[in-house]
Amino acid sequence: MVIVSGNRQSDAEAWPNAQLSRFVSSSPHRWHVQITGEGPDLLMIHGAAGSLYTWRDLIGPLSERYRVVTFDLPGHGLTRVGTRWRNGLEPVSGDIAHLMVTLQVQPKVIVGHSAGAAIALRLAQTLTPAPQRVVSINGALENFPGLAGIVLPMMAKTLALNPFTGPMVASTMTRLATERLIESTGSRIGADGVSLYYRLFRDWRHISGALAMMEQWSLDRLQASLEKIQQPVLCIAGQRDLAVPAATSRRAAEQMPGGELLVFPEGGHLLHEEHPEAVVREIIAFAGT
């Protein structure tokens, strides 16, 4: 059932697996959530500037073994923020933990992509009961190096504070620009996938949410605690990832006592959209039932 207000039903019905969508109020946000399947709870978290539809080809196969739960991050996709000042890693993780209580979900396994992997690892440290295993797919687990670590967050803050930035960026986003942006990450996902991202990037609210997340994001606390994460963690990386180098996953796996590394030679940043069947097999093999 889709629980909606205003025109949100028509928006939700246009996304993959729309029959699974619902809108859930869990302080301070109104979340777009999809849940399907039976079995142990498996939580999937997308990355910055993405949406739950990134898991569109994984949800079905995984739901044969797990109750799969996924959602749009605050300000992303169809999730509407209650406050724009809770987009950093710590508050986002806290709000997701609250959402899990609202949904009566206790993840046994958490799968995170890019920035979603950082959230997954933070939840591994803070959720009660703690998840048993974590899968990181091209995890963005390091701050930007050097000067970029100072300049890019400052740029994001400047842009995010300007109320016209989101509409301006969205209005200039073409399908060709969307395709080139995806290819710049080392991935090729086909016309249908490009169409989904094109629609998403044309939504000024989504652009504003992504900028707010970049503005407030910091991995310092997580990086300092990676060696304390005791759960088995599978770090999957795409060798062709031009957004988050595979070396990032390698270093993270080496820091965590239960870390494992798996590199897809032909995978880019969106490798789970390029090779969904292979990624599903690895998740099941690692997580078990």
Side-chain angles (χ1 to χ4, degrees):
M1 180 175 65
V2 181
I3 305 170
V4 300
S5 62
N7 66 351
R8 307 320 295 162
Q9 182 169 355
S10 61
D11 289 340
E13 288 174 349
W15 291 115
N17 303 303
Q19 73 279 6
L20 306 177
S21 288
R22 66 183 73 176
F23 287 85
V24 178
S25 293
S26 178
S27 182
H29 312 297
R30 186 165 179 81
W31 303 79
H32 175 217
V33 179
Q34 290 186 348
I35 302 176
T36 185
E38 296 182 359
D41 290 335
L42 184 148
L43 176 63
M44 309 188 82
I45 307 174
H46 69 80
S51 172
L52 58 76
Y53 69 68
T54 195
W55 308 116
R56 61 193 177 278
D57 294 325
L58 287 74
I59 288 177
L62 287 172
S63 69
E64 297 175 5
R65 293 173 176 260
Y66 307 96
R67 179 169 70 153
V68 179
V69 180
T70 187
F71 52 82
D72 287 333
L73 287 169
H76 291 64
L78 301 181
T79 292
R80 297 295 167 250
V81 293
T83 170
R84 70 176 303 277
W85 301 111
R86 293 190 59 79
N87 286 288
L89 177 57
E90 299 302 324
V92 165
S93 299
D95 292 343
I96 291 172
H98 189 265
L99 175 64
M100 295 299 97
V101 173
T102 301
L103 295 174
Q104 298 184 335
V105 168
Q106 295 183 352
K108 175 183 177 182
V109 182
I110 306 182
V111 180
H113 171 244
S114 195
I119 298 172
L121 290 171
R122 194 72 189 107
L123 290 172
Q125 298 174 306
T126 58
L127 276 182
T128 303
Q132 297 178 16
R133 292 176 181 263
V134 176
V135 178
S136 165
I137 302 176
N138 286 324
L141 304 177
E142 296 178 352
N143 290 318
F144 293 110
L147 185 61
I150 300 173
V151 174
L152 291 181
M154 289 178 61
M155 289 176 61
K157 183 173 183 178
T158 301
L159 293 171
L161 290 175
N162 185 337
F164 300 107
T165 298
M168 179 185 66
V169 173
S171 67
T172 59
M173 201 67 184
T174 66
R175 182 182 175 86
L176 179 59
T178 301
E179 187 172 354
R180 287 178 174 173
L181 180 61
I182 292 170
E183 289 179 356
S184 74
T185 71
S187 289
R188 295 180 181 272
I189 60 173
D192 290 343
V194 171
S195 295
L196 289 170
Y197 279 98
Y198 173 55
R199 180 183 176 192
L200 192 67
F201 294 162
R202 294 281 293 177
D203 185 345
W204 68 267
R205 293 165 299 187
H206 174 81
I207 297 298
S208 296
L211 284 171
M213 186 174 176
M214 289 179 61
E215 169 201 351
Q216 299 171 40
W217 204 247
S218 173
L219 296 174
D220 293 344
R221 186 171 178 179
L222 175 64
Q223 287 180 315
S225 63
L226 285 180
E227 62 184 20
K228 298 179 182 179
I229 295 176
Q230 297 301 314
Q231 294 98 328
V233 178
L234 175 62
C235 295
I236 301 177
Q239 189 63 54
R240 292 192 291 105
D241 189 345
L242 301 179
V244 179
T248 299
S249 294
R250 182 175 292 106
R251 286 190 288 268
E254 290 173 350
Q255 284 183 264
M256 294 180 287
E260 300 179 24
L261 177 67
L262 174 64
V263 178
F264 277 59
E266 298 302 320
H269 191 60
L270 301 175
L271 70 87
H272 58 290
E273 296 189 39
E274 297 176 279
H275 309 290
E277 294 181 358
V279 172
V280 165
R281 285 196 300 269
E282 296 299 339
I283 290 173
I284 292 174
F286 176 73
T289 56

